[in-house]
Structures are given as C-alpha cells and as structure tokens.
Amino acid sequence: MLRKAINLFLLTADQLYGPITTLRRDGRLFKHIPWSAFHLSEHDWARVLDAKEILRNSNDVLHYFSSDKRPSLWRALPAIEDLQTAWETKLSNPLYSIYHPAIADGLAKLKKYYSKFDEKPVFILALLVHPYYKLGYIKMAWGGPEEQRKEREEGNPDAKDWQFEARAVVDRAVGFLSVSSILSLIKRASR
C-alpha cells in the first residue's frame, strides 16, 4: 500500500507541482531537480520497510497512552521497558546493523527518560495499585535483594533492591495520607 502510494506520487508530482527544487549557480538557473529523481529502488524499499519495522515499536508504545476513557499511567514503565527490549533485540540483530547507530541513539534517549522515573514515585504507585501488577511486577521486571546482590558481585556498586525501593515509595506515600483518606481508598477498593 505504502509503495503504491509513493510510486503514484512520484509519477505525477512533476506534472502537478513542478520540480522539487531548482539549483542555481552564480545567480543563474543551473538545473531543475524533478520529483521523479527520487524514484526508490528495490534496495531503497528494503530500507523503508526496515525503518517502518523499527518505528513500529515506538508507535505501539504511543498507542498504550492514547486512551481517553481509561487511565494509562500504570502503563508508562512497562511500555518503556517493552520498547527498550524491542530496540535492544534489533540492536543485536545483524539484519539491522546499518541502523545500529540510530537505534543506539534511540536507546540512549529512552534511558535518559526512563531514569527520570526514579524521581517520580507516582509511576511506581500506579503499578502497585493496579490489580494485576502490584509488587510482583517490580520483583519480576526489576528484581529484589537477590538481583541486587548479583549485580553488586558483577561490579555495579549502584545496584538497587527494587522491591525495597518500591516499598519505601509506598511507605512515604502512605505517611502523607490521613486516616479518612485511607478509609476512603479501602472503601473504593472493596467495591
């Protein structure tokens, strides 16, 4: 479908719009560059389809957050992790070797924003109050004391016990709640 649309555009654009650009040298017309000069070869189309596949992952994540009727905050961390996993898989796949620098840049940007979640406990709280995820997701996806010990043995002095960190977030959040707001939350949860 995409190929058909682009080829149709390239076949008709010169007639409809004239050249895409005009080159001038010393103030005089030198050359018109027609749209048809951008005809895509089979090799070009293979790259278009590769790029489409790489971008599909981020498009899928975008759709996680496009609900107007349902809350989606709890999806933030799993969605970013899904995208990171998909791009890391492509980064290690020789089929995408020509795109590795761009994928690596995308992963670096993702890491930058993902690390900001550490500063925003609301994302952890959203996971913990979700009926499916709760604390089990944090243990499964990020690890607990065993994973922290292994990471430290492997040389990462900054490794964290994410179960402990999540419990600390909950303790701090609950510490700010009044008794009446806690009772209100319990009532809503039991409905």
Side-chain angles (χ1 to χ4, degrees):
M1 181 83 167
L2 177 66
R3 185 176 193 157
K4 197 177 207 180
I6 290 177
N7 284 340
L8 178 63
F9 175 79
L10 290 174
L11 286 173
T12 60
D14 290 327
Q15 189 176 22
L16 293 171
Y17 306 110
I20 187 170
T21 192
T22 300
L23 300 178
R24 298 185 182 279
R25 186 178 287 164
D26 298 325
R28 291 185 294 201
L29 177 68
F30 175 68
K31 184 177 185 179
H32 291 291
I33 307 291
W35 288 92
S36 55
F38 296 96
H39 173 77
L40 299 175
S41 68
E42 288 301 318
H43 180 72
D44 296 331
W45 277 111
R47 287 191 173 186
V48 167
L49 295 177
D50 288 345
K52 182 180 172 191
E53 176 59 25
I54 293 166
L55 294 173
R56 181 185 56 80
N57 301 125
S58 55
N59 187 51
D60 291 347
V61 167
L62 175 69
H63 287 288
Y64 289 165
F65 302 106
S66 62
S67 175
D68 289 339
K69 296 179 175 47
R70 290 177 282 160
S72 59
L73 182 62
W74 63 269
R75 294 178 180 204
L77 289 167
I80 298 297
E81 290 165 352
D82 286 350
L83 180 57
Q84 180 178 348
T85 300
W87 282 357
E88 285 172 346
T89 301
K90 286 180 174 62
L91 191 61
S92 63
N93 185 337
L95 176 68
Y96 296 102
S97 62
I98 192 168
Y99 310 104
H100 284 178
I103 294 170
D105 288 348
L107 282 166
K109 185 63 80 172
L110 231 93
K111 182 179 180 181
K112 173 186 171 187
Y113 288 107
Y114 188 81
S115 68
K116 296 203 181 280
F117 286 130
D118 291 348
E119 303 162 15
K120 308 290 183 206
V122 70
F123 293 102
I124 291 174
L125 289 171
L127 281 173
L128 293 174
V129 299
H130 189 276
Y132 174 75
Y133 286 109
K134 302 197 180 281
L135 195 57
Y137 176 82
I138 290 170
K139 179 173 179 13
M140 185 258 324
W142 304 338
E146 304 86 32
E147 289 78 10
Q148 179 189 30
R149 182 185 52 75
K150 286 178 190 171
E151 279 191 51
R152 286 192 173 160
E153 286 172 0
E154 292 170 359
N156 180 2
D158 299 322
K160 292 185 179 183
D161 173 350
W162 285 106
Q163 282 184 294
F164 175 81
E165 296 290 329
R167 284 189 185 108
V169 166
V170 171
D171 290 344
R172 283 192 301 274
V174 170
F176 291 112
L177 295 174
S178 67
V179 173
S180 62
S181 61
I182 292 171
L183 291 174
S184 173
L185 287 172
I186 292 170
K187 262 188 200 175
R188 280 192 221 150
S190 63
R191 288 184 200 162

